[in-house]
């Protein structure tokens, strides 16, 4: 009889083992719509002939999709999968390696490893092995291709030794900001990439695994090497922060002094009788998210030492600089308490304590080691926190405790971040104790604020004038100004396109003050996927969601959390729909809140953010005391 037969007929995949004696496991009929991307399924059909073992049985592109369906065997076991062509082919080849060293200086990056590929399927044509950095930098590199996996000791042979050197200048010139180090080979005409790994994150391993491995400064750029969640080596590149150009930075964050402070801080923590907690808000430069109010109550506790960190150049610093235990960011005392503290109680992740994406190994290690009590700065009921989120259990910003505004929000946090329910505390978020509930009314000034979120997949565009974000802001502005005077329209732009919008006729409508201040006067907010919608609605405003790119957004960033029935405002998926919604809400230059905020919208809001009594900070304080966190 013939080999295993695989074919697609209509909307079904058939896998058949043609045999004389028919059984219930000789044929499987599979609905293609039930084959989820990236999941590997096992067929009930088995390969009963050795000729069908360890081979690709079927590979075909799906209609109206870039994905492929592949059926393949591992000995007698038959499996099928749906994914991109590169990803399905990767399942047929294995890359075995030990990374011996990765060293980066200002001149070069040198990689040394022992490596080989395993191709046990004779019918597969493989060639052109290489090693590269990101999408644009690649060098041919001879890597052995074996037909079977070897014992690890045999890998120590010199014939498997791989050395590759790259120019740092070449990496600097590449437009990519984050580049994985990968090997590649050509499989059946398709280039397939494999990550170069330096130690995988095992169960129960220290989360310090995510701290940068080493760093270099070249001109006005910082380059540092780190691992991703699967241990893959990645080079991150960014412009230097202004502070990184100072002598103060070079002294306090030198490798030697950072190591000394790190170990002294650990020692002090072991012999002290009181825990030390650090409070801060966004970029350690604000007092508007509620963490400062929680800190103020914590000051009354004599069972712990509590400090609030704030940048000396911020406007809010002047208001609180004389308050006891308020510490100026980057001062000598700041560096001591940074290494001395055992916990952070904040509305942001630990990265906001210092330079975002800091390359300081000891400082990043310490930040990962903190006990993290996450107060949250906004409602988690809009964007998906996928498995790559820093807040997911096991990742570098996993919270020990996190505060939520409702049972619905708690359930979402538990599902997305994989945290135990007991670690999610329902009290309401502190920011809603700092803003007035329902103060925007029908008689309030008719300000419309356009505030879209910037899409991570557009960050790599050479020209931001070509971004969907840029075009959407201009299109929405032009529609709104047809219904309301231009001086009543405010635009909160992402910094990356701020300068572009200043060249348009909306330059005088650009908002340059804190976002909290614009929300205080906003009567109608136009956004897409921002949780700031909940803050605006809390204050009495109406919200319209413009989501023309929702399909692409959800494919790349993950499915949005609210169901269609849970939104707190109308949704538009193109400019015509948006125009029709605005026409119903803005009449004769006035915003009709009754039209914008329906009873259903308000009911939806209460289910997601339940507290409106302004006492969230007090509830949070009591919960912290109950758990002996302060």
């Amino acid at each position: 009889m013939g080999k295993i037969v695989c074919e697609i007929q209509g909307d079904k995949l058939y896998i058949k083992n043609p045999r004389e004696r028919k059984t219930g496991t000789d044929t499987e009929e599979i609905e293609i719509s039930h084959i989820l991307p990236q999941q590997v399924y096992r067929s009930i059909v088995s390969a009963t002939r050795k000729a069908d073992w360890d081979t690709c049985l079927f590979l075909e592109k799906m209609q109206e999709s870039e994905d492929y369906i592949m059926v393949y065997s591992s000995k007698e076991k038959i499996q099928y999968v749906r994914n991109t062509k590169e990803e399905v082919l990767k399942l047929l080849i294995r890359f075995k390696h030990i990374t011996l060293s990765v060293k980066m200086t200002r001149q070069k990056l040198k990689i040394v490893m022992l490596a080989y590929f395993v191709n046990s399927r004779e019918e597969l044509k493989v060639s052109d092995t290489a090693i590269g950095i990101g999408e644009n930098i690649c060098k041919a590199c001879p890597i052995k291709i074996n037909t079977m996996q070897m014992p690890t000791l045999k890998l120590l042979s010199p014939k498997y030794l791989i050395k590759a050197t790259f120019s740092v200048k070449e990496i600097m010139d590449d437009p990519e900001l984050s580049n994985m180090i990968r090997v590649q080979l050509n499989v059946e005409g398709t280039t397939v990439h494999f990550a170069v790994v330096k130690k995988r994150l095992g169960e129960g391993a220290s989360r310090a695994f995510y701290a940068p491995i080493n760093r270099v400064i070249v001109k006005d750029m910082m380059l540092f090497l780190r691992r991703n969640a699967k241990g893959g080596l990645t080079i991150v590149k960014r412009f230097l922060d202004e502070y990184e150009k100072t002598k103060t930075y070079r002294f306090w964050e030198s490798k030697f002094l950072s190591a000394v402070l790190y170990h002294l801080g650990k020692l002090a923590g072991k012999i002290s009788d009181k825990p030390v907690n650090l409070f801060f808000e966004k970029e350690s430069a604000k007092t508007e998210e509620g963490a400062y109010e929680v800190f103020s109550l914590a000051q009354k506790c004599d069972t712990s030492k509590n400090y609030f960190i704030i940048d000396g150049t911020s406007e809010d610093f002047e208001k609180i600089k004389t308050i006891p235990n308020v510490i100026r960011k980057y001062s000598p005392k700041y560096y001591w308490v940074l290494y001395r503290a055992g916990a952070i109680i904040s509305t942001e992740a630990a990265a906001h304590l210092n330079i975002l994406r800091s390359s300081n190994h000891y400082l990043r290690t310490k930040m990962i080691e903190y006990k993290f009590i996450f107060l949250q700065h906004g409602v988690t009921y809009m964007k998906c926190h996928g498995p790559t989120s820093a807040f997911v259990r096991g990742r570098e910003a996993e919270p020990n405790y996190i505060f939520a505004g409702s049972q619905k929000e708690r359930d979402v946090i538990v599902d997305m971040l994989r945290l135990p329910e007991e670690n999610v505390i329902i009290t309401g978020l502190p920011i809603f104790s700092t803003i007035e509930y329902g103060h925007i009314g029908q008689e309030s000034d008719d300000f419309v604020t356009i505030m879209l979120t910037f899409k991570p997949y557009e960050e790599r565009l050479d020209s931001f004038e070509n971004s969907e974000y840029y075009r959407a802001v201009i299109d929405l502005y032009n529609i709104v100004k047809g219904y309301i005077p231009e001086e009543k329209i405010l635009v909160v732009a992402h910094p990356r396109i701020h300068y572009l919008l200043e060249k348009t006729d909306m330059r005088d409508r650009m908002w340059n003050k804190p976002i909290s201040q614009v929300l205080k006067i906003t009567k109608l907010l136009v956004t897409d996927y921002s949780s700031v919608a909940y803050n605006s609605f809390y204050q009495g405003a109406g919200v319209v969601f413009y989501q023309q790119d929702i399909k692409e957004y959800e494919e790349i960033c993950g499915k949005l959390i609210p169901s269609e029935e849970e939104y707190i405002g109308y949704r538009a998926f193109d400019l015509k729909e948006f125009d029709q919604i605005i026409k119903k809400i803005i009449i004769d230059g006035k915003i009709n809140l009754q039209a914008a905020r329906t009873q259903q919208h308000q009911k939806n809001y209460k289910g997601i953010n339940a507290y409106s009594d302004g006492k969230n900070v007090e509830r949070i304080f009591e919960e912290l005391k109950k758990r002996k966190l302060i």
Side-chain angles (χ1 to χ4, degrees):
M1 297 296 289
K3 292 184 177 181
I4 297 292
V5 175
C6 305
E7 59 184 351
I8 290 178
Q9 293 182 9
D11 57 359
K12 292 179 181 177
L13 168 69
Y14 291 89
I15 304 174
K16 305 173 184 176
N17 185 358
R19 301 199 303 166
E20 281 298 322
R21 180 176 178 270
K22 304 299 182 184
T23 70
T25 59
D26 287 337
T27 300
E28 184 172 12
E29 177 184 300
I30 304 148
E31 292 278 353
I32 291 176
S33 61
H34 293 171
I35 306 175
L36 299 178
Q38 302 177 30
Q39 290 196 25
V40 176
Y41 298 85
R42 181 170 179 179
S43 173
I44 62 171
V45 181
S46 296
T48 54
R49 291 167 294 278
K50 283 191 176 182
D52 292 328
W53 288 9
D54 296 320
T55 188
C56 177
L57 301 167
F58 177 82
L59 179 65
E60 188 168 310
K61 186 176 180 296
M62 296 177 62
Q63 291 184 354
E64 300 180 1
S65 171
E66 292 303 311
D67 285 353
Y68 280 69
I69 297 284
M70 183 174 75
V71 183
Y72 64 105
S73 58
S74 296
K75 291 193 174 178
E76 68 270 24
K77 181 170 66 175
I78 295 177
Q79 296 170 292
Y80 57 94
V81 65
R82 168 189 170 185
N83 211 327
T84 64
K85 190 173 184 181
E86 178 183 354
E87 291 302 316
V88 297
L89 289 173
K90 190 182 289 188
L91 295 171
L92 306 177
I93 303 288
R94 281 173 290 164
F95 175 56
K96 309 300 293 183
H97 70 294
I98 298 172
T99 303
L100 301 176
S101 70
V102 183
K103 294 181 179 178
M104 185 165 57
T105 67
R106 291 183 182 182
Q107 288 74 40
K108 62 185 179 181
L109 171 75
K110 187 174 182 181
I111 304 163
V112 182
M113 60 182 173
L114 298 162
Y116 68 98
F117 290 106
V118 180
N119 175 24
S120 59
R121 295 167 169 84
E122 294 181 0
E123 80 284 0
L124 280 183
K125 296 176 183 178
V126 297
S127 61
D128 302 331
T129 59
I131 184 167
I133 299 173
E135 299 291 336
N136 305 316
I137 303 172
C138 183
K139 288 186 175 182
C141 181
I143 303 174
K144 296 283 287 183
I145 301 173
N146 291 351
T147 56
M148 62 180 67
Q149 186 171 332
M150 307 179 308
T152 302
L153 282 176
K154 286 194 174 182
L155 183 58
L156 300 178
S157 167
K159 67 181 179 180
Y160 296 112
L161 185 65
I162 307 295
K163 293 182 180 180
T165 303
F166 296 89
S167 161
V168 166
K169 183 181 184 304
E170 187 179 12
I171 298 170
M172 292 273 293
D173 292 341
D174 183 50
E176 297 283 341
L177 300 177
S178 182
N179 298 292
M180 283 190 67
I181 300 174
R182 302 183 296 182
V183 298
Q184 66 183 52
L185 79 166
N186 186 291
V187 181
E188 298 287 332
T190 297
T191 300
V192 178
H193 298 87
F194 297 83
V196 173
V197 171
K198 186 172 176 61
K199 185 182 178 183
R200 295 184 184 274
L201 181 63
E203 187 69 30
S206 169
R207 289 183 294 122
F209 171 90
Y210 294 108
I213 297 170
N214 75 315
R215 60 178 172 176
V216 295
I217 295 174
V218 182
K219 296 181 181 178
D220 60 346
M221 297 291 290
M222 173 73 74
L223 284 80
F224 61 92
L225 192 67
R226 61 162 293 171
R227 287 176 281 231
N228 63 22
K230 295 182 179 179
L233 291 167
T234 301
I235 297 172
V236 178
K237 180 173 59 179
R238 62 170 172 79
F239 285 103
L240 286 177
D241 185 90
E242 287 302 312
Y243 176 60
E244 289 174 309
K245 301 175 185 178
T246 65
K247 292 180 181 178
T248 306
Y249 169 82
R250 289 195 293 272
F251 174 74
W252 284 105
E253 298 206 21
S254 64
K255 188 174 181 180
F256 171 75
L257 189 54
S258 296
V260 170
L261 288 170
Y262 175 80
H263 292 293
L264 284 178
K266 277 204 160 189
L267 179 62
K270 289 178 181 178
I271 62 177
S272 174
D273 60 343
K274 286 186 179 181
V276 174
N277 302 315
L278 302 183
F279 292 77
F280 59 93
E281 296 185 1
K282 190 174 183 65
E283 296 181 6
S284 304
K286 306 284 183 184
T287 60
E288 61 182 31
E289 295 177 343
Y292 178 75
E293 283 71 18
V294 179
F295 159 76
S296 297
L297 292 180
Q299 288 282 69
K300 302 174 184 177
C301 298
D302 58 4
T303 52
S304 61
K305 294 180 180 179
N306 299 287
Y307 300 96
F308 190 85
I309 309 297
I310 187 165
D311 196 312
T313 63
S314 75
E315 292 180 15
D316 291 345
F317 176 74
E318 293 300 319
K319 304 173 190 174
I320 65 171
K321 64 182 180 181
T322 60
I323 303 297
N325 291 349
V326 169
I327 296 178
R328 180 172 55 84
K329 191 176 183 179
Y330 303 134
S331 65
K333 189 171 183 180
Y334 157 85
Y335 278 105
W336 171 241
V337 298
L338 212 60
Y339 287 105
R340 168 63 188 87
I344 56 174
I345 303 173
S346 64
T347 50
E348 304 285 350
H352 287 257
L353 265 173
N354 193 256
I355 299 160
L356 291 177
R357 293 192 295 172
S358 166
S359 61
N360 186 327
H361 171 79
Y362 288 100
L363 190 52
R364 288 284 291 273
T365 300
K366 181 62 184 178
M367 288 177 176
I368 290 167
E369 291 173 346
Y370 287 134
K371 181 181 287 186
F372 178 25
I373 294 85
F374 189 24
L375 304 177
Q376 289 207 87
H377 55 271
V379 176
T380 300
Y381 212 87
M382 184 59 68
K383 298 175 188 175
C384 172
H385 284 273
T388 59
S389 167
F391 297 100
V392 170
R393 186 175 69 189
R395 296 297 303 275
E396 59 264 47
E398 175 193 345
N400 296 81
Y401 292 97
I402 182 171
F403 288 83
S406 66
Q407 291 187 0
K408 262 191 177 183
E409 188 183 16
R410 179 201 63 190
D411 293 346
V412 161
I413 290 169
V414 168
D415 291 344
M416 286 196 308
L417 304 186
R418 305 201 302 269
L419 300 175
E421 281 192 15
E422 294 83 355
N423 292 19
V424 185
I425 308 167
I426 303 173
T427 58
L429 307 188
I431 193 169
F432 295 106
S433 287
T434 68
I435 56 182
E436 186 181 351
Y437 176 69
H439 68 90
I440 297 289
Q442 189 55 51
E443 299 309 312
S444 300
D445 281 342
D446 294 280
F447 283 109
V448 177
T449 297
I450 299 172
M451 183 178 173
L452 304 185
T453 52
F454 197 76
K455 315 304 186 298
Y457 47 86
E458 293 194 323
E459 192 170 357
R460 297 177 180 178
L461 292 175
D462 294 333
S463 172
F464 287 101
E465 290 177 89
N466 296 327
S467 70
E468 193 66 39
Y469 178 97
Y470 176 76
R471 292 194 298 271
V473 171
I474 290 178
D475 289 341
L476 296 176
Y477 182 87
N478 287 333
I479 287 175
V480 173
K481 75 178 184 181
Y483 295 94
I484 206 162
E486 285 190 74
E487 61 269 20
K488 294 292 186 180
I489 308 174
L490 306 170
V491 178
V492 181
H494 189 280
R496 299 293 293 273
I497 70 154
H498 198 285
Y499 76 99
L500 290 173
L501 293 175
E502 283 183 331
K503 298 175 184 176
T504 70
D505 60 358
M506 67 179 75
R507 58 184 172 275
D508 296 330
R509 310 314 314 148
M510 308 294 290
W511 186 263
N512 297 306
K513 298 175 184 176
I515 291 173
S516 61
Q517 292 182 23
V518 76
L519 295 181
K520 285 181 181 178
I521 62 173
T522 297
K523 193 171 179 180
L524 180 66
L525 176 72
V526 178
T527 187
D528 46 9
Y529 313 113
S530 176
S531 63
V532 78
Y534 295 104
N535 297 43
S536 195
F537 197 94
Y538 180 91
Q539 297 181 69
V543 180
V544 175
F545 297 91
Y546 179 63
Q547 301 176 336
Q548 92 289 359
D549 60 344
I550 187 168
K551 184 176 180 181
E552 182 181 18
Y553 183 87
E554 290 192 326
E555 281 179 359
I556 296 172
C557 301
K559 190 169 177 59
L560 294 168
I561 297 166
S563 65
E564 174 64 39
E565 296 75 25
E566 291 181 306
Y567 272 85
I568 60 170
Y570 291 110
R571 302 168 75 191
F573 301 101
D574 57 45
L575 292 172
K576 184 178 179 181
E577 280 187 313
F578 179 76
D579 185 45
Q580 291 171 346
I581 291 168
I582 295 299
K583 187 185 296 185
K584 287 191 295 184
I585 293 174
I586 304 178
I587 302 169
D588 297 329
K590 297 286 291 182
I591 297 168
N592 182 352
L593 282 179
Q594 195 170 359
R597 291 168 55 98
T598 67
Q599 289 186 350
Q600 187 60 49
H601 293 152
Q602 295 180 59
K603 181 180 177 182
N604 292 348
Y605 186 86
K606 281 292 184 183
I608 295 166
N609 193 28
Y611 295 96
S612 57
D613 59 2
K615 296 182 179 179
N616 297 356
V617 165
E618 287 81 358
R619 280 189 286 271
I620 290 168
F621 174 67
E622 292 302 323
E623 292 291 344
L624 293 174
K625 278 203 307 181
K626 185 194 302 184
R627 289 168 173 76
K628 297 181 180 179
L629 296 169
I630 55 175

